[in-house]
Amino acid sequence: MFNTSLQMSLNCPSHLSVSVTRQRNVCKRRLNPVLAVPPSSVILHTDESGEFPESRNSSSSSNASLSSCAGSLLCHPNTVGIMGGGSVDSTLSFVRKLVHWSKENEETCTPFVLCSDPVLNRELLSLERNSSTLCSRNARSQFDHSPIVENLLSKRVFLEKSGAQCIVVPCHISHSWHDEVFNGCSIPSLHMAECVSRELKEAKLKPLEAGSPLRIGVLATDVTLKAGFYQEKLQNEGFEVVLPDKATMEHTVIPAIDAINRKDMEGARNLLRIALQVLLVREVNTVILASNDMCDLLPRDDPLLKKCIDPMDALVMSTIKWAQQAVKEGMQHFSTH
């Protein structure tokens, strides 16, 4: 039987879904409509062991049904593979934006296959917590990253085989190993830091003071900042990158993350405001909030938030642009043959 966490969503609306359950009679009633009407999206959750549901199924007929359904789905030239990361909430937030924003100018949303893994979620959260609480003892260098990299690599291979034509990772920490995970990948991948850097470049910002360089602040967890990929991508676009100094990290950013873990949202909110103000007085044009927790802390109408940019939004827009271009190229190829 199939694992209860396997869901197939039809035509994108979140309320319209078909679940493959353990009960044979329910499975028969619900699976047939899926096979009859090719869905535009698939959401796959691994089980607690990190394995995909079908790998535990000994029924060849059930596996054949899943293969048939996936085969009829993932033939779109603009299918996006979404690799979930440390936060299910942030992954779902990315999907909601992808669905709604892509439908603003299109009749249907961008087709996607989403892979979510609780094992990977725990590993990434463990890394983040070790980094924030033990950063003075070089926790990151002592942390064994190999299980995370292997997990990410297996998800990449799975999405490739599922028919995705491009892969995105709506998770900041996972980008620490982006080059390693996507080395040799047969399809393109969108890098979140590249997307937001390119968006800022295209915005044609002007320095706050004439003659001074364009400065972009980056506020993130210690592990994300130490990975350095935001700094690298911004510098490649000609920006001067401004990071929190050691005192700001130790007295505001890291305590803010600890406060979030304790569910002290008001305390975390106050600490985040201080960290943002410290960066803004250093004459940065804008601050990249490279942390989903931080982005969700401040109310939407907070003046400080208006001076920040969420790189997840840039990733969504880049994904939509890629999907639109893929459709155009597919139509051009079809018309010439």
Side-chain angles (χ1 to χ4, degrees):
M1 277 71 74
F2 290 92
N3 188 287
T4 55
S5 61
L6 176 61
Q7 290 188 324
M8 285 172 254
S9 302
L10 303 181
N11 301 326
C12 292
S14 57
H15 63 275
L16 184 57
S17 63
V18 178
S19 299
V20 185
T21 67
R22 294 181 183 276
Q23 290 78 18
R24 290 179 180 270
N25 56 341
V26 177
C27 180
K28 290 179 180 178
R29 288 201 303 269
R30 295 185 177 181
L31 187 56
N32 290 336
V34 179
L35 297 177
V37 182
S40 62
S41 306
V42 167
I43 301 176
L44 292 177
H45 296 271
T46 61
D47 56 25
E48 288 296 316
S49 69
E51 298 295 329
F52 292 101
E54 64 270 24
S55 66
R56 287 176 161 241
N57 191 344
S58 58
S59 170
S60 58
S61 61
S62 295
N63 281 329
S65 297
L66 180 60
S67 176
S68 174
C69 177
S72 64
L73 161 68
L74 301 172
C75 57
H76 306 291
N78 61 334
T79 298
V80 176
I82 304 173
M83 189 188 302
S87 169
V88 175
D89 290 336
S90 64
T91 301
L92 293 178
S93 176
F94 174 87
V95 171
R96 281 192 293 269
K97 290 178 179 179
L98 179 66
V99 170
H100 293 304
W101 294 359
S102 65
K103 290 182 69 176
E104 288 182 356
N105 300 315
E106 305 288 341
E107 292 183 359
T108 59
C109 78
T110 301
F112 65 86
V113 54
L114 164 62
C115 177
S116 178
D117 182 0
V119 175
L120 180 62
N121 178 284
R122 286 195 300 267
E123 290 173 342
L124 291 171
L125 285 179
S126 176
L127 172 60
E128 186 168 27
R129 288 170 181 168
N130 273 281
S131 177
S132 64
T133 59
L134 302 174
C135 105
S136 61
R137 285 183 279 168
N138 298 319
R140 188 171 185 272
S141 61
Q142 298 173 10
F143 196 93
D144 182 11
H145 302 154
S146 56
I148 295 177
V149 175
E150 292 173 3
N151 198 324
L152 290 169
L153 185 58
S154 70
K155 303 303 182 295
R156 187 215 88 185
V157 172
F158 171 80
L159 291 172
E160 281 184 279
K161 292 181 178 180
S162 296
Q165 300 301 308
C166 178
I167 297 177
V168 297
V169 187
C171 173
H172 299 282
I173 298 178
S174 295
H175 281 74
S176 302
W177 310 280
H178 185 276
D179 292 347
E180 185 175 354
V181 170
F182 287 96
N183 181 36
C185 186
S186 62
I187 57 178
S189 63
L190 300 182
H191 194 294
M192 186 151 48
E194 284 184 355
C195 294
V196 70
S197 299
R198 185 165 53 247
E199 181 177 290
L200 289 170
K201 185 72 172 182
E202 293 172 354
K204 299 186 182 300
L205 302 173
K206 296 182 179 180
L208 297 183
E209 287 189 0
S212 63
L214 278 168
R215 297 189 180 96
I216 304 297
V218 180
L219 199 58
T221 60
D222 185 67
V223 65
T224 298
L225 292 179
K226 285 183 176 179
F229 53 87
Y230 274 104
Q231 298 92 303
E232 176 189 351
K233 303 303 181 183
L234 285 166
Q235 289 168 355
N236 288 345
E237 294 293 347
F239 295 109
E240 180 179 309
V241 182
V242 179
L243 304 178
D245 57 24
K246 182 179 179 181
T248 302
M249 289 297 298
E250 292 181 352
H251 298 296
T252 61
V253 178
I254 292 176
I257 298 300
D258 291 339
I260 292 173
N261 292 334
R262 298 194 309 269
K263 308 300 181 184
D264 177 14
M265 297 306 169
E266 185 61 31
R269 193 172 295 117
N270 292 334
L271 289 166
L272 175 59
R273 287 193 174 106
I274 294 172
L276 284 172
Q277 289 167 346
V278 170
L279 281 179
L280 290 170
V281 298
R282 296 170 65 182
E283 299 180 347
V284 297
N285 285 70
T286 189
V287 176
I288 294 176
L289 275 181
S291 165
N292 298 315
D293 289 331
M294 293 181 187
C295 287
D296 295 337
L297 272 180
L298 300 181
R300 295 296 98 183
D301 59 350
D302 193 296
L304 282 175
L305 195 60
K306 295 178 181 179
K307 299 179 180 180
C308 302
I309 184 171
D310 184 354
M312 200 73 73
D313 292 349
L315 181 62
V316 173
M317 293 307 302
S318 294
T319 303
I320 293 173
K321 290 178 181 177
W322 172 87
Q324 292 172 340
Q325 183 62 32
V327 170
K328 291 180 182 179
E329 293 177 356
M331 293 177 65
Q332 291 172 355
H333 178 77
F334 179 80
S335 63
T336 58
H337 289 75

